[in-house]
Amino acid sequence: MSLQSDIASVVKSVDLELYDTVVVNENDETIFRISVISPEIENGKRKGVSLDACVELTHLISPLLDVTPPVSGEYRLEVGSPGIERKLTTLEHFKKSLGENVSLLLDEKVKIKGRLSKVEGNKLVVEKEGQTEEIDFNAVKKAKTYFEW
C-alpha cells in the first residue's frame, strides 16, 4: 500500500474524505499539507470539517509518517479543510465538487463560471444562466470553486 492510500484509509475511519495531499515550502519551512472534506451534504452544501476532527486526524496520521515520511528532512504536518474556495486540479477534485459553483479558465483564455452538475469521463458539465456547457477537462488551464455571497 502507498502512503497516500494509508492516509486515505485513516481519513475514512473518521468519516471524512481525503481531498488532497501536497508538499509546500513556505518561509524556509517544508509543510506536508493534508486536506480533508466531509462526505455529507446538508441543504445542498457540503458540511464543514471541525477543528477537533483535524486534531484527531493529526494524531492518527502522525505515526504513519514516522514510519514512512512524506519527504526527506524536517517538515511540519498540517491537516485541515481545503476551504470553501479551493483549487481544482484533478478530475477527482471535480467529482468531489459536484453541485458547487466553479470558475474555469480555459486554454483560449475563456472564463466560465457556473454550477458543476456532472463529471463524465473527461467531460465537465457546467450549468450557467439556464444553459449547460460541456467542457473537456484537458482544456481547463485553471479551476477553483467559489462561494457566492
Side-chain angles (χ1 to χ4, degrees), residues 53-107:
C54 293
V55 169
E56 179 183 1
L57 272 174
T58 300
H59 292 294
L60 293 171
I61 291 170
S62 197
L64 281 176
L65 303 181
D66 291 341
V67 175
T68 311
V71 295
S72 60
E74 290 189 25
Y75 66 92
R76 178 167 49 96
L77 172 63
E78 276 185 10
V79 177
S81 164
I84 293 174
E85 295 190 351
R86 60 194 176 278
K87 290 181 184 177
L88 304 170
T89 56
T90 66
L91 275 169
E92 203 54 40
H93 288 166
F94 280 95
K95 289 176 186 174
K96 290 180 179 183
S97 300
L98 286 170
E100 295 187 58
N101 290 326
V102 294
S103 175
L104 311 174
L105 178 65
L106 305 183
D107 289 337

Side-chain angles (χ1 to χ4, degrees), residues 125-137:
V125 179
V126 177
E127 294 177 4
K128 61 178 193 162
E129 300 168 5
Q131 297 185 356
T132 59
E133 193 162 341
E134 270 193 22
I135 298 115
D136 187 291
F137 170 74

Side-chain angles (χ1 to χ4, degrees), residues 19-20 33-37 49-50 54 57-58 78-83:
Y19 184 78
D20 205 5
R33 192 169 286 150
I34 299 172
S35 298
V36 295
I37 58 175
V49 177
S50 73
C54 293
L57 272 174
T58 300
E78 276 185 10
V79 177
S81 164

